[in-house]
PDB file of all heavy atoms in Angstrom:
ATOM      1  N   ASP K   1      71.360 -34.341 -86.781  1.00 97.00           N
ATOM      2  CA  ASP K   1      72.371 -34.751 -85.799  1.00 97.00           C
ATOM      3  C   ASP K   1      72.524 -36.270 -85.758  1.00 97.00           C
ATOM      4  O   ASP K   1      73.599 -36.783 -85.433  1.00 97.00           O
ATOM      5  CB  ASP K   1      71.994 -34.235 -84.410  1.00 97.00           C
ATOM      6  CG  ASP K   1      72.185 -32.733 -84.276  1.00 97.00           C
ATOM      7  OD1 ASP K   1      72.871 -32.147 -85.154  1.00 97.00           O
ATOM      8  OD2 ASP K   1      71.643 -32.144 -83.321  1.00 97.00           O
ATOM      9  N   ALA K   2      71.452 -36.986 -86.084  1.00 97.00           N
ATOM     10  CA  ALA K   2      71.500 -38.452 -86.087  1.00 97.00           C
ATOM     11  C   ALA K   2      71.933 -39.018 -87.428  1.00 97.00           C
ATOM     12  O   ALA K   2      71.980 -40.243 -87.602  1.00 97.00           O
ATOM     13  CB  ALA K   2      70.126 -39.010 -85.709  1.00 97.00           C
ATOM     14  N   GLY K   3      72.233 -38.137 -88.385  1.00 97.00           N
ATOM     15  CA  GLY K   3      72.689 -38.597 -89.696  1.00 97.00           C
ATOM     16  C   GLY K   3      71.590 -38.913 -90.673  1.00 97.00           C
ATOM     17  O   GLY K   3      71.835 -39.565 -91.700  1.00 97.00           O
ATOM     18  N   VAL K   4      70.357 -38.477 -90.390  1.00 97.00           N
ATOM     19  CA  VAL K   4      69.239 -38.711 -91.301  1.00 97.00           C
ATOM     20  C   VAL K   4      69.086 -37.502 -92.220  1.00 97.00           C
ATOM     21  O   VAL K   4      69.125 -36.353 -91.761  1.00 97.00           O
ATOM     22  CB  VAL K   4      67.929 -38.950 -90.514  1.00 97.00           C
ATOM     23  CG1 VAL K   4      66.761 -39.177 -91.461  1.00 97.00           C
ATOM     24  CG2 VAL K   4      68.088 -40.148 -89.576  1.00 97.00           C
ATOM     25  N   LYS K   5      68.880 -37.747 -93.492  1.00 97.00           N
ATOM     26  CA  LYS K   5      68.743 -36.657 -94.462  1.00 97.00           C
ATOM     27  C   LYS K   5      67.390 -35.965 -94.292  1.00 97.00           C
ATOM     28  O   LYS K   5      66.352 -36.622 -94.162  1.00 97.00           O
ATOM     29  CB  LYS K   5      68.877 -37.189 -95.886  1.00 97.00           C
ATOM     30  CG  LYS K   5      68.782 -36.100 -96.944  1.00 97.00           C
ATOM     31  CD  LYS K   5      68.897 -36.676 -98.338  1.00 97.00           C
ATOM     32  CE  LYS K   5      68.743 -35.582 -99.400  1.00 97.00           C
ATOM     33  NZ  LYS K   5      68.804 -36.141-100.771  1.00 97.00           N
ATOM     34  N   VAL K   6      67.404 -34.642 -94.307  1.00 98.00           N
ATOM     35  CA  VAL K   6      66.185 -33.837 -94.259  1.00 98.00           C
ATOM     36  C   VAL K   6      65.955 -33.237 -95.634  1.00 98.00           C
ATOM     37  O   VAL K   6      66.764 -32.426 -96.111  1.00 98.00           O
ATOM     38  CB  VAL K   6      66.282 -32.738 -93.182  1.00 98.00           C
ATOM     39  CG1 VAL K   6      65.056 -31.827 -93.233  1.00 98.00           C
ATOM     40  CG2 VAL K   6      66.408 -33.358 -91.785  1.00 98.00           C
ATOM     41  N   ALA K   7      64.878 -33.644 -96.283  1.00 97.00           N
ATOM     42  CA  ALA K   7      64.599 -33.159 -97.640  1.00 97.00           C
ATOM     43  C   ALA K   7      64.273 -31.672 -97.628  1.00 97.00           C
ATOM     44  O   ALA K   7      64.774 -30.917 -98.460  1.00 97.00           O
ATOM     45  CB  ALA K   7      63.442 -33.955 -98.249  1.00 97.00           C
ATOM     46  N   ALA K   8      63.434 -31.244 -96.686  1.00 98.00           N
ATOM     47  CA  ALA K   8      63.065 -29.826 -96.563  1.00 98.00           C
ATOM     48  C   ALA K   8      62.155 -29.656 -95.363  1.00 98.00           C
ATOM     49  O   ALA K   8      61.508 -30.614 -94.907  1.00 98.00           O
ATOM     50  CB  ALA K   8      62.375 -29.320 -97.823  1.00 98.00           C
ATOM     51  N   VAL K   9      62.092 -28.437 -94.865  1.00 98.00           N
ATOM     52  CA  VAL K   9      61.095 -28.044 -93.886  1.00 98.00           C
ATOM     53  C   VAL K   9      60.147 -27.076 -94.578  1.00 98.00           C
ATOM     54  O   VAL K   9      60.564 -25.996 -95.024  1.00 98.00           O
ATOM     55  CB  VAL K   9      61.729 -27.393 -92.646  1.00 98.00           C
ATOM     56  CG1 VAL K   9      60.636 -26.851 -91.727  1.00 98.00           C
ATOM     57  CG2 VAL K   9      62.605 -28.385 -91.901  1.00 98.00           C
ATOM     58  N   ILE K  10      58.894 -27.473 -94.693  1.00 98.00           N
ATOM     59  CA  ILE K  10      57.870 -26.628 -95.304  1.00 98.00           C
ATOM     60  C   ILE K  10      57.119 -25.950 -94.169  1.00 98.00           C
ATOM     61  O   ILE K  10      56.389 -26.607 -93.414  1.00 98.00           O
ATOM     62  CB  ILE K  10      56.914 -27.467 -96.171  1.00 98.00           C
ATOM     63  CG1 ILE K  10      57.695 -28.205 -97.255  1.00 98.00           C
ATOM     64  CG2 ILE K  10      55.833 -26.590 -96.794  1.00 98.00           C
ATOM     65  CD1 ILE K  10      56.882 -29.260 -97.987  1.00 98.00           C
ATOM     66  N   ASP K  11      57.319 -24.655 -94.022  1.00 98.00           N
ATOM     67  CA  ASP K  11      56.714 -23.899 -92.927  1.00 98.00           C
ATOM     68  C   ASP K  11      55.625 -23.000 -93.489  1.00 98.00           C
ATOM     69  O   ASP K  11      55.857 -22.250 -94.443  1.00 98.00           O
ATOM     70  CB  ASP K  11      57.784 -23.069 -92.207  1.00 98.00           C
ATOM     71  CG  ASP K  11      57.335 -22.635 -90.813  1.00 98.00           C
ATOM     72  OD1 ASP K  11      56.192 -22.150 -90.682  1.00 98.00           O
ATOM     73  OD2 ASP K  11      58.122 -22.776 -89.858  1.00 98.00           O
ATOM     74  N   SER K  12      54.428 -23.078 -92.893  1.00 97.00           N
ATOM     75  CA  SER K  12      53.302 -22.292 -93.399  1.00 97.00           C
ATOM     76  C   SER K  12      53.477 -20.802 -93.148  1.00 97.00           C
ATOM     77  O   SER K  12      52.757 -19.987 -93.737  1.00 97.00           O
ATOM     78  CB  SER K  12      51.998 -22.781 -92.752  1.00 97.00           C
ATOM     79  OG  SER K  12      52.038 -22.571 -91.345  1.00 97.00           O
ATOM     80  N   ARG K  13      54.432 -20.429 -92.278  1.00 97.00           N
ATOM     81  CA  ARG K  13      54.648 -19.026 -91.947  1.00 97.00           C
ATOM     82  C   ARG K  13      55.710 -18.407 -92.852  1.00 97.00           C
ATOM     83  O   ARG K  13      56.471 -19.104 -93.515  1.00 97.00           O
ATOM     84  CB  ARG K  13      55.091 -18.909 -90.477  1.00 97.00           C
ATOM     85  CG  ARG K  13      54.132 -19.543 -89.491  1.00 97.00           C
ATOM     86  CD  ARG K  13      54.780 -19.692 -88.124  1.00 97.00           C
ATOM     87  NE  ARG K  13      55.972 -20.536 -88.175  1.00 97.00           N
ATOM     88  CZ  ARG K  13      56.864 -20.636 -87.191  1.00 97.00           C
ATOM     89  NH1 ARG K  13      56.698 -19.931 -86.086  1.00 97.00           N
ATOM     90  NH2 ARG K  13      57.911 -21.429 -87.316  1.00 97.00           N
ATOM     91  N   THR K  14      55.754 -17.089 -92.864  1.00 95.00           N
ATOM     92  CA  THR K  14      56.828 -16.360 -93.539  1.00 95.00           C
ATOM     93  C   THR K  14      57.684 -15.654 -92.491  1.00 95.00           C
ATOM     94  O   THR K  14      57.278 -15.509 -91.339  1.00 95.00           O
ATOM     95  CB  THR K  14      56.254 -15.331 -94.528  1.00 95.00           C
ATOM     96  OG1 THR K  14      55.370 -14.441 -93.832  1.00 95.00           O
ATOM     97  CG2 THR K  14      55.487 -16.031 -95.650  1.00 95.00           C
ATOM     98  N   GLY K  15      58.852 -15.244 -92.887  1.00 94.00           N
ATOM     99  CA  GLY K  15      59.753 -14.593 -91.953  1.00 94.00           C
ATOM    100  C   GLY K  15      60.349 -15.550 -90.944  1.00 94.00           C
ATOM    101  O   GLY K  15      60.655 -15.167 -89.812  1.00 94.00           O
ATOM    102  N   VAL K  16      60.524 -16.801 -91.344  1.00 94.00           N
ATOM    103  CA  VAL K  16      61.041 -17.841 -90.461  1.00 94.00           C
ATOM    104  C   VAL K  16      62.532 -18.035 -90.736  1.00 94.00           C
ATOM    105  O   VAL K  16      62.986 -17.921 -91.875  1.00 94.00           O
ATOM    106  CB  VAL K  16      60.293 -19.170 -90.674  1.00 94.00           C
ATOM    107  CG1 VAL K  16      60.765 -20.227 -89.694  1.00 94.00           C
ATOM    108  CG2 VAL K  16      58.796 -18.951 -90.547  1.00 94.00           C
ATOM    109  N   THR K  17      63.290 -18.333 -89.696  1.00 93.00           N
ATOM    110  CA  THR K  17      64.724 -18.583 -89.830  1.00 93.00           C
ATOM    111  C   THR K  17      65.006 -20.051 -89.569  1.00 93.00           C
ATOM    112  O   THR K  17      64.525 -20.616 -88.581  1.00 93.00           O
ATOM    113  CB  THR K  17      65.527 -17.730 -88.834  1.00 93.00           C
ATOM    114  OG1 THR K  17      65.211 -16.348 -89.045  1.00 93.00           O
ATOM    115  CG2 THR K  17      67.025 -17.949 -89.009  1.00 93.00           C
ATOM    116  N   ALA K  18      65.792 -20.669 -90.460  1.00 95.00           N
ATOM    117  CA  ALA K  18      66.180 -22.068 -90.265  1.00 95.00           C
ATOM    118  C   ALA K  18      67.116 -22.192 -89.074  1.00 95.00           C
ATOM    119  O   ALA K  18      67.921 -21.296 -88.799  1.00 95.00           O
ATOM    120  CB  ALA K  18      66.838 -22.599 -91.529  1.00 95.00           C
ATOM    121  N   ARG K  19      67.000 -23.308 -88.376  1.00 93.00           N
ATOM    122  CA  ARG K  19      67.852 -23.553 -87.212  1.00 93.00           C
ATOM    123  C   ARG K  19      69.059 -24.426 -87.555  1.00 93.00           C
ATOM    124  O   ARG K  19      69.810 -24.816 -86.656  1.00 93.00           O
ATOM    125  CB  ARG K  19      67.048 -24.215 -86.102  1.00 93.00           C
ATOM    126  CG  ARG K  19      65.922 -23.345 -85.565  1.00 93.00           C
ATOM    127  CD  ARG K  19      65.297 -23.971 -84.337  1.00 93.00           C
ATOM    128  NE  ARG K  19      64.260 -23.116 -83.768  1.00 93.00           N
ATOM    129  CZ  ARG K  19      63.641 -23.375 -82.628  1.00 93.00           C
ATOM    130  NH1 ARG K  19      63.968 -24.463 -81.935  1.00 93.00           N
ATOM    131  NH2 ARG K  19      62.704 -22.572 -82.161  1.00 93.00           N
ATOM    132  N   GLY K  20      69.220 -24.739 -88.815  1.00 94.00           N
ATOM    133  CA  GLY K  20      70.332 -25.580 -89.220  1.00 94.00           C
ATOM    134  C   GLY K  20      70.518 -25.517 -90.720  1.00 94.00           C
ATOM    135  O   GLY K  20      69.876 -24.717 -91.421  1.00 94.00           O
ATOM    136  N   ASP K  21      71.379 -26.382 -91.217  1.00 95.00           N
ATOM    137  CA  ASP K  21      71.703 -26.397 -92.641  1.00 95.00           C
ATOM    138  C   ASP K  21      70.728 -27.310 -93.381  1.00 95.00           C
ATOM    139  O   ASP K  21      71.075 -28.395 -93.852  1.00 95.00           O
ATOM    140  CB  ASP K  21      73.147 -26.866 -92.839  1.00 95.00           C
ATOM    141  CG  ASP K  21      73.584 -26.772 -94.302  1.00 95.00           C
ATOM    142  OD1 ASP K  21      72.941 -26.017 -95.059  1.00 95.00           O
ATOM    143  OD2 ASP K  21      74.541 -27.479 -94.673  1.00 95.00           O
ATOM    144  N   TYR K  22      69.473 -26.880 -93.451  1.00 96.00           N
ATOM    145  CA  TYR K  22      68.477 -27.629 -94.202  1.00 96.00           C
ATOM    146  C   TYR K  22      67.687 -26.660 -95.070  1.00 96.00           C
ATOM    147  O   TYR K  22      67.662 -25.446 -94.821  1.00 96.00           O
ATOM    148  CB  TYR K  22      67.529 -28.394 -93.264  1.00 96.00           C
ATOM    149  CG  TYR K  22      66.879 -27.553 -92.178  1.00 96.00           C
ATOM    150  CD1 TYR K  22      65.745 -26.793 -92.433  1.00 96.00           C
ATOM    151  CD2 TYR K  22      67.390 -27.546 -90.874  1.00 96.00           C
ATOM    152  CE1 TYR K  22      65.147 -26.032 -91.441  1.00 96.00           C
ATOM    153  CE2 TYR K  22      66.796 -26.804 -89.873  1.00 96.00           C
ATOM    154  CZ  TYR K  22      65.673 -26.047 -90.162  1.00 96.00           C
ATOM    155  OH  TYR K  22      65.088 -25.291 -89.177  1.00 96.00           O
ATOM    156  N   ARG K  23      67.031 -27.205 -96.074  1.00 97.00           N
ATOM    157  CA  ARG K  23      66.238 -26.383 -96.998  1.00 97.00           C
ATOM    158  C   ARG K  23      64.953 -25.947 -96.299  1.00 97.00           C
ATOM    159  O   ARG K  23      64.223 -26.764 -95.750  1.00 97.00           O
ATOM    160  CB  ARG K  23      65.910 -27.186 -98.255  1.00 97.00           C
ATOM    161  CG  ARG K  23      65.114 -26.404 -99.297  1.00 97.00           C
ATOM    162  CD  ARG K  23      64.715 -27.305-100.450  1.00 97.00           C
ATOM    163  NE  ARG K  23      63.875 -26.618-101.415  1.00 97.00           N
ATOM    164  CZ  ARG K  23      63.204 -27.215-102.395  1.00 97.00           C
ATOM    165  NH1 ARG K  23      63.300 -28.551-102.530  1.00 97.00           N
ATOM    166  NH2 ARG K  23      62.456 -26.513-103.226  1.00 97.00           N
ATOM    167  N   LEU K  24      64.689 -24.651 -96.332  1.00 98.00           N
ATOM    168  CA  LEU K  24      63.497 -24.097 -95.710  1.00 98.00           C
ATOM    169  C   LEU K  24      62.601 -23.498 -96.782  1.00 98.00           C
ATOM    170  O   LEU K  24      63.042 -22.648 -97.566  1.00 98.00           O
ATOM    171  CB  LEU K  24      63.863 -23.027 -94.683  1.00 98.00           C
ATOM    172  CG  LEU K  24      62.705 -22.260 -94.038  1.00 98.00           C
ATOM    173  CD1 LEU K  24      61.782 -23.200 -93.281  1.00 98.00           C
ATOM    174  CD2 LEU K  24      63.227 -21.154 -93.125  1.00 98.00           C
ATOM    175  N   ILE K  25      61.335 -23.948 -96.813  1.00 97.00           N
ATOM    176  CA  ILE K  25      60.352 -23.426 -97.757  1.00 97.00           C
ATOM    177  C   ILE K  25      59.332 -22.634 -96.942  1.00 97.00           C
ATOM    178  O   ILE K  25      58.519 -23.202 -96.205  1.00 97.00           O
ATOM    179  CB  ILE K  25      59.671 -24.554 -98.545  1.00 97.00           C
ATOM    180  CG1 ILE K  25      60.717 -25.366 -99.315  1.00 97.00           C
ATOM    181  CG2 ILE K  25      58.605 -23.995 -99.485  1.00 97.00           C
ATOM    182  CD1 ILE K  25      60.167 -26.632 -99.951  1.00 97.00           C
ATOM    183  N   GLU K  26      59.387 -21.306 -97.047  1.00 97.00           N
ATOM    184  CA  GLU K  26      58.504 -20.451 -96.264  1.00 97.00           C
ATOM    185  C   GLU K  26      57.146 -20.283 -96.935  1.00 97.00           C
ATOM    186  O   GLU K  26      57.038 -20.326 -98.176  1.00 97.00           O
ATOM    187  CB  GLU K  26      59.138 -19.072 -96.073  1.00 97.00           C
ATOM    188  CG  GLU K  26      60.431 -19.081 -95.280  1.00 97.00           C
ATOM    189  CD  GLU K  26      60.934 -17.672 -95.064  1.00 97.00           C
ATOM    190  OE1 GLU K  26      60.235 -16.904 -94.371  1.00 97.00           O
ATOM    191  OE2 GLU K  26      62.009 -17.326 -95.592  1.00 97.00           O
ATOM    192  N   GLY K  27      56.118 -20.065 -96.120  1.00 97.00           N
ATOM    193  CA  GLY K  27      54.775 -19.836 -96.641  1.00 97.00           C
ATOM    194  C   GLY K  27      54.239 -20.997 -97.437  1.00 97.00           C
ATOM    195  O   GLY K  27      53.436 -20.806 -98.356  1.00 97.00           O
ATOM    196  N   GLY K  28      54.656 -22.210 -97.101  1.00 97.00           N
ATOM    197  CA  GLY K  28      54.267 -23.388 -97.872  1.00 97.00           C
ATOM    198  C   GLY K  28      53.222 -24.233 -97.174  1.00 97.00           C
ATOM    199  O   GLY K  28      53.078 -24.198 -95.949  1.00 97.00           O
ATOM    200  N   GLN K  29      52.501 -24.994 -97.971  1.00 98.00           N
ATOM    201  CA  GLN K  29      51.510 -25.938 -97.461  1.00 98.00           C
ATOM    202  C   GLN K  29      51.546 -27.193 -98.312  1.00 98.00           C
ATOM    203  O   GLN K  29      51.654 -27.117 -99.546  1.00 98.00           O
ATOM    204  CB  GLN K  29      50.099 -25.340 -97.498  1.00 98.00           C
ATOM    205  CG  GLN K  29      49.895 -24.128 -96.618  1.00 98.00           C
ATOM    206  CD  GLN K  29      48.486 -23.571 -96.725  1.00 98.00           C
ATOM    207  OE1 GLN K  29      47.670 -24.030 -97.537  1.00 98.00           O
ATOM    208  NE2 GLN K  29      48.180 -22.582 -95.906  1.00 98.00           N
ATOM    209  N   VAL K  30      51.457 -28.348 -97.677  1.00 98.00           N
ATOM    210  CA  VAL K  30      51.384 -29.605 -98.412  1.00 98.00           C
ATOM    211  C   VAL K  30      49.964 -29.774 -98.937  1.00 98.00           C
ATOM    212  O   VAL K  30      48.999 -29.681 -98.169  1.00 98.00           O
ATOM    213  CB  VAL K  30      51.772 -30.798 -97.511  1.00 98.00           C
ATOM    214  CG1 VAL K  30      51.615 -32.116 -98.266  1.00 98.00           C
ATOM    215  CG2 VAL K  30      53.200 -30.641 -97.010  1.00 98.00           C
ATOM    216  N   ILE K  31      49.839 -30.017-100.224  1.00 97.00           N
ATOM    217  CA  ILE K  31      48.512 -30.099-100.836  1.00 97.00           C
ATOM    218  C   ILE K  31      48.249 -31.455-101.490  1.00 97.00           C
ATOM    219  O   ILE K  31      47.200 -31.660-102.102  1.00 97.00           O
ATOM    220  CB  ILE K  31      48.308 -28.988-101.897  1.00 97.00           C
ATOM    221  CG1 ILE K  31      49.372 -29.077-102.984  1.00 97.00           C
ATOM    222  CG2 ILE K  31      48.331 -27.616-101.237  1.00 97.00           C
ATOM    223  CD1 ILE K  31      49.126 -28.129-104.161  1.00 97.00           C
TER     224      ILE K  31
END
């Protein structure tokens, strides 16, 4: 909403729904 680019949302859970037009990576972890 503020005009900042979102590269992705990495969510550790599965079965998650994105709340906007951004890339969603389910079941992910930063390593």
Side-chain angles (χ1 to χ4, degrees):
D1 288 345
V4 179
K5 182 181 178 182
V6 175
V9 173
I10 302 169
D11 199 313
S12 63
R13 304 166 300 167
T14 57
V16 184
T17 303
R19 297 188 177 186
D21 186 20
Y22 52 82
R23 181 185 176 192
L24 175 61
I25 301 171
E26 296 184 65
Q29 297 179 355
V30 177
I31 58 172

